[in-house]
Amino acid sequence: MIKKKITMVGAFAVGKTSLVQRFVNSIYSEKYQTTIGVKIDQKNLVIDGKDVTLLLWDIHGEDDFMKVKPTYLIGSSGYFIVVDGTRYETLQTALQLQEMASTVTKDVPFIVLINKSDLRQDWEINNDDIESIRKRGWQVILTSARDNFAVEDAFEQLTRMMLNQ
Amino acid sequence: MEGDQRSQGFEQMHDGGKLNELRKILTGLDKEELERLHRLMSDPHEFAIEISEFLPFSIRKLIENGEISKEELLPFFEEVIQTSIQKNPQKLADILFPVMGPAIRKAVAEDLKKLIDSLNQTLESGLSPRHLKMRLSARVTGKSYAEMLLSQAYVYQVKQVFLIHRNTGLLLHHETDSETGACAGDMVASMLSAIGDFVKDSFQSGTNDALDTIHVGELNIWIEQGPHAVIAAIVEGNPPHELRTVMKEAIEAVHFNHVYDFEKFNGDVSAFALSGKFLQRCLQKQKKEQQKSNPVFAIALLVLVLGVAGFFIYRNLETRHRWNKFVTHVDEKQGIHITGNNMSGGVFVLNGLRDAEALNTDSMLHSFGFDSSNARLIFTPFISLEQEMVVKRAIRLLEPPQGVLISFKEGVLIVSGEADAVWINRLKLDYVRVVGVNKLDVAALTIMNNLPDLNMIIQAIEKHRFSFDINDVEMDAVQKKKFDSLTMAAVQIGNFNIVNHRNMLIHVRSYSSKAVNKQANEKVALERARAFIKLLGQAGVSESLLKAEVVFNEDLPVPQPVRSVSFNVFEE
Ligand SMILES: Nc1nc2c(ncn2[C@@H]2O[C@H](COP(=O)(O)OP(=O)(O)OP(=O)(O)O)[C@@H](O)[C@H]2O)c(=O)[nH]1
Ligand SMILES: [Mg+2]
């Protein structure tokens, strides 16, 4: 039995909790309830015939008052950096967080999720921005927790990357 | 010292009302006030106390007036806190814990609620009477069953032990008290690890101040740290300190045995199944002792309890014994087969098959001291071929007269004794109706000759003569009486025929005359004879014994009254 820890990082209100809840419990809520500290969820997957138990650490978003604590990332086999497509500043936060995370986790795989793709017309992040992230050699997946778009794919993709490490 | 001397000199020099007055005019202060000010200036300790009373007030005033900003003050306070933490982290932890405690508890509580819920479920699915009782009282007190279980039975109990990978917070292995059943251990492990991180971060304390106990409601979580993994034990009650030692030994053993597994750990926890035996040692518990009380009372109570228990056990055993005797008794009876004997809802239930001829089981039940309140008999009807049952069935169907014995053996009904010919005749016809019988043996049956003499019968028949006023066979009361005696005699003729293989016939003679219209007369007379035969037939005389006949007076030596009927018996 393989168990893996995945951490969700990103600025506040980008949809980390929504993505986890969508993936684990198939639910979505419009209501915004900010995460305090960390909430842990569990999901069992079968990837390429292997049973994997994912422990998902959904941590609070980074804001001016609360920096993400590096300790939460310790021991992660992979992480998601979540960006809110409708808020450009969340991409900048993402870049800072990636730096911190890669130091703490010693370069485990990660994927950048640009969330709220159902609001594409309101996005402040354009294709050029996305291209430039991809040029860094990072994986980028556009998701929507609301419309259940590419959520499962994202988790399966990261799990695969972790197993192949 | 110097000041004191100076002030003493000052007073000495200017002692007297005039100078004091002058001083008051100049300074606006009297002597006492002046002395207080002087003391303040010369004693920094006094001064500090004095100034502290209005300092916060003046700072607030300064901020309000915009002369100092909070931002300017902040670095100062941060520095102070920083220094304080470096000096003694525990002190700040103590201060902060009441603030953070609830947040931590809330975080864990949710998961432990799940844990308790799942505990509840496993327990409720495997109920034993002991559990049932507990659950009942749980319902009464409104406490959850699991909580009751935890709080009642043990002084302390370690219900679950988690082996948690320190770095990842992953659950490596999980052992639970056998009664408890598994829970969402993976998540609990991660939660605990997150709490550990949080506390460590918040207190910024480095090395040895790792978290070793978390309190959640009535549960305590004891944590024992190792370099690669920690053991977390969910503990109810107050365990002795030795549990710490056991946990320490366990975490050491785990590390000693899994050096390599820790080294290459990538999330595969299979290898750690072997650590179960070390963790199991931590699953300790101590049952609550009986409260000490006056031994005399205790002994009396014990005697009483034993007495009552003994009585109930005795009664129980006695009832069971009696029931079993009843069952054996019933089962021995012919025509009854027991197919099931059990107890349901405090009532003995006996299932079986019962022949209609078998003995009454209800009266047997009563004679053994049971009734419908404590015993139920459920019988399905069936036909038994047991000897006694076949004989009973034969007796019911054949109604043997006194002096006849009936027995049954291997399909043969053996009838012996003495019986009249009529009954024997009926026996020969009817024995096939007795289920189970396929042959009749009458070798030992003798015919009892109780038939009256034939001549007497013939006389009894031939003496009767019925005369009718009109061409009808209407009878008055006297005639009816005669008719009954005729009938009896006629039946006896029938019996006589059967027994003696004879063929006596009764001629029913209807008298007429040839005068006027012989044919018409004959017809009417024949009708009359036939009507009479019909009456006899209705009264039970076989009509094959009777024969209608018309006799004309003209043919008789002695004429008979017309419209009369008489009888003659002949052998055909
Ligand atoms: N339209 C749209 N809204 C979303 C989507 N995902 C999340 N939201 C909304 O965004 C808000 C924030 O979502 P959360 O999932 O709580 O965000 P978070 O990153 O966990 O926030 P913090 O815990 O405060 O860091 C909520 O009101 C969500 O309903 C999405 O895919 N599309
Ligand atoms: Mg959240």
Side-chain angles (χ1 to χ4, degrees):
Chain A
M1 165 65 92
I2 304 267
K3 298 181 184 181
K4 298 283 186 189
K5 169 179 172 179
I6 292 180
T7 311
M8 312 290 298
V9 295
F12 68 96
V14 292
K16 298 179 293 296
T17 303
S18 301
L19 288 163
V20 170
Q21 287 315 307
R22 166 60 77 192
F23 178 56
V24 174
N25 298 317
S26 308
I27 49 172
Y28 173 78
S29 163
E30 294 284 345
K31 222 175 96 190
Y32 174 41
Q33 273 188 305
T34 189
T35 305
I36 298 165
V38 55
K39 184 170 183 322
I40 289 152
D41 264 296
Q42 180 187 342
K43 174 92 175 177
N44 299 332
L45 278 189
V46 183
I47 296 282
D48 307 330
K50 276 185 218 162
D51 284 322
V52 187
T53 296
L54 298 181
L55 273 304
L56 305 170
W57 289 48
D58 169 21
I59 61 180
H60 63 84
E62 172 134 324
D63 63 21
D64 294 344
F65 308 101
M66 218 169 356
K67 297 273 173 226
V68 167
K69 287 187 192 73
T71 34
Y72 285 134
L73 276 134
I74 294 174
S76 302
S77 294
Y79 56 94
F80 285 111
I81 301 177
V82 187
V83 175
D84 179 348
T86 66
R87 282 149 65 214
Y88 188 80
E89 78 272 12
T90 63
L91 178 59
Q92 290 169 317
T93 312
L95 300 179
Q96 290 160 19
L97 284 170
Q98 195 281 331
E99 231 171 274
M100 181 272 278
S102 69
T103 326
V104 176
T105 62
K106 300 180 188 71
D107 299 317
V108 297
F110 69 94
I111 297 177
V112 178
L113 302 180
I114 309 189
N115 193 37
K116 308 197 183 177
S117 63
D118 53 287
L119 301 175
R120 202 68 205 270
Q121 71 279 1
D122 302 330
W123 272 27
E124 292 177 2
I125 294 171
N126 57 35
N127 288 340
D128 290 344
D129 298 325
I130 297 170
E131 230 9 76
S132 72
I133 308 169
R134 287 210 167 109
K135 279 215 184 86
R136 293 167 176 250
W138 297 2
Q139 283 243 26
V140 180
I141 298 179
L142 309 192
T143 58
S144 166
R146 203 192 79 168
D147 291 357
N148 193 17
F149 179 74
V151 178
E152 221 154 292
D153 295 343
F155 278 95
E156 287 182 10
Q157 175 68 13
L158 183 63
T159 310
R160 233 175 237 115
M161 287 159 74
M162 295 186 315
L163 291 176
N164 294 335
Q165 266 267 303
Chain B
M1 290 294 140
E2 216 181 307
D4 276 357
Q5 278 168 0
R6 212 190 295 152
S7 86
Q8 270 168 14
F10 184 84
E11 273 175 41
Q12 278 162 5
M13 273 168 68
H14 304 284
D15 205 5
K18 288 221 166 95
L19 191 58
N20 264 340
E21 239 166 83
L22 179 66
R23 186 170 53 200
K24 195 164 181 189
I25 292 163
L26 286 172
T27 62
L29 298 166
D30 64 19
K31 190 184 163 213
E32 283 75 36
E33 286 170 323
L34 209 62
E35 278 172 1
R36 200 176 73 90
L37 272 178
H38 181 72
R39 261 202 318 278
L40 272 179
M41 301 304 286
S42 56
D43 185 348
H45 185 70
E46 283 260 306
F47 182 66
I49 291 172
E50 194 80 8
I51 211 165
S52 72
E53 276 179 21
F54 60 85
L55 193 61
F57 178 73
S58 48
I59 290 172
R60 205 173 296 139
K61 265 276 172 282
L62 285 171
I63 293 171
E64 267 171 26
N65 298 341
E67 286 168 52
I68 311 177
S69 75
K70 274 182 193 165
E71 283 68 32
E72 280 174 289
L73 278 173
L74 218 56
F76 168 73
F77 282 114
E78 276 174 352
E79 208 182 297
V80 168
I81 293 168
Q82 194 77 46
T83 322
S84 160
I85 291 170
Q86 274 160 10
K87 266 180 154 173
N88 184 1
Q90 190 56 46
K91 192 156 205 167
L92 192 72
D94 289 347
I95 296 166
L96 285 178
F97 200 80
V99 184
M100 290 177 174
I104 298 168
R105 261 200 296 281
K106 188 175 168 284
V108 197
E110 210 155 327
D111 229 282
L112 276 160
K113 199 176 152 296
K114 275 189 209 155
L115 189 149
I116 285 172
D117 282 350
S118 79
L119 227 156
N120 247 342
Q121 266 171 16
T122 32
L123 287 173
E124 283 177 0
S125 53
L127 270 184
S128 70
R130 184 175 72 94
H131 288 142
L132 199 72
K133 203 172 140 238
M134 296 276 275
R135 197 159 63 139
L136 191 74
S137 63
R139 207 172 274 167
V140 171
T141 57
K143 261 190 165 186
S144 101
Y145 174 47
E147 284 174 304
M148 286 291 297
L149 201 77
L150 289 169
S151 59
Q152 283 204 348
Y154 298 99
V155 176
Y156 78 93
Q157 185 176 18
V158 180
K159 303 227 72 171
Q160 314 228 5
V161 185
F162 301 84
L163 180 67
I164 303 168
H165 190 240
R166 201 176 168 149
N167 205 24
T168 59
L170 294 174
L171 181 69
L172 299 173
H173 193 73
H174 179 203
E175 284 290 331
T176 87
D177 184 78
S178 60
E179 289 171 38
T180 313
C183 71
D186 282 311
M187 276 164 65
V188 173
S190 289
M191 293 298 301
L192 292 175
S193 140
I195 291 160
D197 291 347
F198 179 69
V199 173
K200 210 159 49 189
D201 267 10
S202 308
F203 296 165
Q204 304 208 330
S205 56
T207 49
N208 286 329
D209 290 352
L211 194 68
D212 68 358
T213 315
I214 301 171
H215 304 271
V216 185
E218 284 174 34
L219 294 175
N220 287 324
I221 301 166
W222 281 27
I223 292 165
E224 200 52 54
Q225 312 266 353
H228 292 290
V230 302
I231 286 181
I234 304 221
V235 168
E236 163 72 14
N238 298 307
H241 199 72
E242 286 82 81
L243 179 61
R244 276 273 169 224
T245 320
V246 175
M247 287 173 68
K248 277 203 175 79
E249 283 166 4
I251 195 74
E252 278 163 18
V254 168
H255 279 81
F256 184 77
N257 284 279
H258 293 279
V259 184
Y260 183 66
D261 297 320
F262 279 124
E263 210 73 7
K264 63 162 183 103
F265 182 69
N266 69 342
D268 189 347
V269 299
S270 345
F272 291 94
L274 296 171
S275 65
K277 60 173 182 286
F278 306 121
L279 299 191
Q280 272 164 13
R281 289 180 201 154
C282 305
L283 288 173
Q284 297 192 341
K285 60 189 169 195
Q286 188 195 330
K287 280 220 163 80
K288 257 186 193 150
E289 269 177 48
Q290 213 61 50
Q291 269 187 348
K292 278 190 184 166
S293 57
N294 189 337
V296 176
F297 177 72
I299 289 165
L301 193 72
L302 187 72
V303 168
L304 186 70
V305 165
L306 284 178
V308 171
F311 172 72
F312 278 105
I313 290 167
Y314 164 76
R315 219 179 58 166
N316 200 328
L317 284 177
E318 191 276 331
T319 312
R320 251 168 212 290
H321 182 66
R322 194 149 41 85
W323 174 256
N324 288 337
K325 260 168 75 180
F326 166 72
V327 173
T328 321
H329 180 76
V330 169
D331 204 15
E332 278 169 356
K333 293 283 166 278
Q334 293 211 352
I336 297 178
H337 282 289
I338 303 303
T339 55
N341 172 17
N342 58 322
M343 193 145 191
S344 146
V347 174
F348 291 108
V349 180
L350 195 64
N351 289 78
L353 303 169
R354 183 177 176 277
D355 192 291
E357 313 294 340
L359 292 170
N360 185 330
T361 43
D362 284 338
S363 58
M364 277 191 250
L365 189 69
H366 289 140
S367 71
F368 275 83
F370 293 100
D371 56 47
S372 57
S373 73
N374 50 21
R376 268 180 68 206
L377 307 179
I378 304 169
F379 284 117
T380 310
F382 91 118
I383 292 174
S384 163
L385 297 185
E386 281 164 296
Q387 193 183 23
E388 197 179 309
M389 290 305 107
V390 177
V391 170
K392 277 194 164 184
R393 200 173 301 130
I395 289 171
R396 189 171 50 80
L397 280 166
L398 302 171
E399 299 171 310
Q402 273 195 349
V404 170
L405 269 172
I406 292 183
S407 62
F408 175 76
K409 205 177 168 191
E410 290 157 5
V412 183
L413 192 71
I414 304 153
V415 184
S416 58
E418 224 185 9
D420 64 75
V422 181
W423 185 80
I424 293 171
N425 201 47
R426 192 183 136 197
L427 168 70
K428 286 175 181 167
L429 291 172
D430 281 354
Y431 80 94
V432 285
R433 286 172 55 208
V434 181
V435 179
V437 173
N438 38 44
K439 226 174 141 189
L440 180 67
D441 178 354
V442 284
L445 184 66
T446 55
I447 301 166
M448 179 170 70
N449 202 353
N450 60 348
L451 287 175
D453 181 60
L454 180 63
N455 287 331
M456 281 174 66
I457 304 170
I458 292 173
Q459 272 178 31
I461 290 171
E462 291 188 343
K463 73 177 182 198
H464 293 294
R465 180 182 303 275
F466 293 84
S467 296
F468 300 102
D469 297 337
I470 46 166
N471 289 326
D472 200 352
V473 284
E474 198 76 24
M475 279 183 274
D476 55 33
V478 181
Q479 283 178 320
K480 270 195 182 126
K481 208 155 166 133
K482 281 166 68 185
F483 181 79
D484 286 345
S485 103
L486 170 71
T487 313
M488 272 168 64
V491 168
Q492 283 187 348
I493 284 289
N495 290 346
F496 177 86
N497 281 348
I498 293 165
V499 175
N500 302 295
H501 305 285
R502 299 277 287 274
N503 202 5
M504 309 300 289
L505 277 188
I506 302 167
H507 290 222
V508 179
R509 289 187 158 170
S510 178
Y511 295 94
S512 188
S513 87
K514 292 176 181 174
V516 188
N517 186 342
K518 182 195 164 198
Q519 273 179 326
N521 290 352
E522 186 178 11
K523 198 177 163 216
V524 171
L526 192 63
E527 282 297 310
R528 187 183 305 123
R530 284 188 179 144
F532 208 93
I533 287 173
K534 206 170 165 197
L535 281 179
L536 283 169
Q538 282 166 2
V541 181
S542 168
E543 286 186 34
S544 61
L545 280 178
L546 304 165
K547 191 176 174 186
E549 195 181 57
V550 177
V551 178
F552 292 104
N553 268 331
E554 286 83 349
D555 299 335
L556 291 175
V558 182
Q560 298 291 323
V562 286
R563 291 195 298 278
S564 70
V565 176
S566 74
F567 311 91
N568 286 89
V569 180
F570 297 103
E571 174 113 50
E572 198 73 345

